[in-house]
Amino acid sequence: MRGILGAIVVIWLVIGVAAAVQRGYFGDDQEVSCATAGTTAVTVLAGPLNYVGANPKVDCEVPEPSS
């Protein structure tokens, strides 16, 4: 039972990575920010849900350091 659950989790994440690749989240032209990293992470975690209409987005802003 434990091995089956582990295999399901791995397959779920592999499908999520495939969705993120198809959306171009791992391309060289992506800006590096909290929002893009978060969106990529939740896309991977959403797994197969990406193919049934889920399009997770993260909107975050990191405060600028004071000078």
Side-chain angles (χ1 to χ4, degrees), residues 6-53:
I8 290 171
V9 169
V10 169
I11 292 168
W12 183 279
L13 293 175
V14 166
I15 292 170
V17 168
V21 168
Q22 288 177 344
R23 292 181 180 171
Y25 293 161
F26 295 115
D28 291 334
D29 59 343
Q30 285 286 329
E31 67 176 80
V32 178
S33 69
C34 172
T36 57
T39 298
T40 302
V42 296
T43 298
V44 170
L45 292 176
L49 299 177
N50 289 292
Y51 295 104
V52 294

